[in-house]
Amino acid sequence: MAAITRLVKRVSSAAPTFSSHAPPLKERNVQWVFLGCPGVGKGTYASRLCTLLGVPHIATGDLVRHELSSNGPLSSQLSEIVNQGKLVSDEIIINLLSKRLADGEAKGESGFILDGFPRTIKQAEILEGVTDIDLVVNLKLQEEALLAKCLGRRICNQCGGNFNVASISVKGENGRPGMVMAPLLPPAHCMSKLITRADDTEAVVKERLRIYNEKSQPVEEFYRSRGKLLEFDLPGGIPESWPKLLQALNLDDYEEKQSAAA
Ligand SMILES: Nc1ncnc2c1ncn2[C@@H]1O[C@H](COP(=O)(O)OP(=O)(O)O)[C@@H](O)[C@H]1O
């Protein structure tokens, strides 16, 4: 554990506060966490924000998939766990994350948006003990849309792009607004190279959702009670949600300034 503490401590910069009066974001090297159910869009929004803010997008799901495709000593153990929709042990995840942070540090990275970590109270406690997380964004979407979004997920096995072929329409009821999410279709040259994640089958997604409610939802309360949680209800697909998310993060002006300077 000491090694993990040292590694994570070394990459943490002076804790920035989340305020519109703080120094420019690029100089603040934000340390943010994205929480949310499988299929909610953590990867999509975290990676867009990382591009905007110039910090690395660190998704523990990607670290796990990379490790299991590398045919290393952990591969078969990991593929069994992931393909059943279960969580990898805290110890393995902390090791993968520590290594990723150390590699990033060696390349001069600072700041991050973590996606898919922490997923248990134990992981949250370890992270809280070693670095100062500025903000935790909890993305939320109506339950009906989550399964459809996971089943519609496609990845281009050449360029690595993430797409979604699902066309989602959820009826409004009991005062709750309806929602339409258009598919995010790949360009023609990716069309024949699309693959589906092995854990995006109906049975496995349902198990992942069950495990999220049991093990990961308590992490929301962990950060809520520390005053770090920003709840964000996604109003629809990317065109509706992205500008609203920027507004909620006080980044709408920032994006305009970045595009004007480009
Ligand atoms: N922080 C973590 N703790 C334990 N297991 C994890 C963690 N992050 C990723 N995993 C493993 O990797 C799988 C894929 O993760 P991810 O891509 O984040 O999926 P999801 O779409 O469910 O959010 C998870 O189902 C789990 O087995």
Side-chain angles (χ1 to χ4, degrees):
M1 198 59 63
I4 295 162
T5 310
R6 274 201 310 278
L7 283 176
V8 187
K9 256 191 179 147
R10 271 193 282 139
V11 296
S12 67
S13 53
T17 47
F18 184 64
S19 139
S20 50
H21 305 297
L25 283 154
K26 283 250 181 195
E27 287 159 34
R28 289 203 285 144
N29 299 322
V30 301
Q31 299 196 152
W32 290 356
V33 162
F34 265 59
L35 298 181
C37 287
V40 76
K42 297 183 295 293
T44 303
Y45 295 104
S47 100
R48 283 179 160 233
L49 283 169
C50 284
T51 306
L52 187 65
L53 301 175
V55 293
H57 171 210
I58 303 183
T60 44
D62 289 345
L63 301 181
V64 168
R65 280 183 289 278
H66 182 261
E67 184 67 27
L68 72 82
S69 66
S70 70
N71 285 324
L74 292 175
S75 295
S76 62
Q77 188 192 344
L78 286 179
S79 80
E80 197 171 318
I81 298 169
V82 173
N83 292 339
Q84 289 176 9
K86 308 277 188 242
L87 290 185
V88 172
S89 74
D90 292 335
E91 193 193 351
I92 292 180
I93 284 291
I94 299 279
N95 279 335
L96 291 175
L97 180 60
S98 301
K99 187 170 178 315
R100 169 63 187 82
L101 290 169
D103 290 349
E105 186 202 6
K107 286 191 266 169
E109 280 178 3
S110 63
F112 50 71
I113 297 183
L114 293 179
D115 154 8
F117 183 96
R119 245 175 166 103
T120 62
I121 290 286
K122 181 85 200 154
Q123 293 176 11
E125 284 169 351
I126 292 174
L127 188 64
E128 199 70 1
V130 294
T131 195
D132 206 340
I133 296 299
D134 318 320
L135 178 74
V136 179
V137 180
N138 187 25
L139 291 185
K140 294 194 292 192
L141 192 59
Q142 292 164 13
E143 182 111 19
E144 298 99 299
L146 295 171
L147 178 62
K149 277 197 68 200
C150 284
L151 298 183
R153 211 148 48 176
R154 299 290 181 276
I155 301 156
C156 172
N157 71 2
Q158 193 164 42
C159 74
N162 285 286
F163 306 101
N164 206 303
V165 297
S167 189
I168 296 169
S169 167
V170 179
K171 280 205 197 93
E173 55 186 30
N174 302 330
R176 188 192 70 181
M179 163 187 296
V180 174
M181 295 175 93
L184 179 62
L185 295 175
H189 58 270
C190 294
M191 216 42 135
S192 61
K193 296 159 197 135
L194 297 184
I195 51 167
T196 305
R197 266 167 54 174
D199 59 343
D200 275 344
T201 63
E202 182 162 349
V204 178
V205 172
K206 285 185 171 162
E207 177 64 359
R208 278 157 53 208
L209 287 167
R210 190 190 69 74
I211 291 193
Y212 185 88
N213 290 330
E214 182 189 315
K215 302 257 173 64
S216 306
Q217 215 166 28
V219 176
E220 296 173 11
E221 187 47 41
F222 178 94
Y223 286 117
R224 189 177 293 117
S225 67
R226 285 162 176 76
K228 293 187 175 178
L229 197 71
L230 175 78
E231 307 271 14
F232 186 77
D233 282 297
L234 290 157
I238 298 172
E240 302 82 24
S241 303
W242 176 242
K244 292 232 161 65
L245 179 62
L246 290 178
Q247 245 170 40
L249 292 167
N250 281 330
L251 287 174
D252 35 356
D253 283 356
Y254 184 75
E255 194 195 35
E256 277 162 30
K257 278 186 205 134
Q258 291 289 100
S259 359

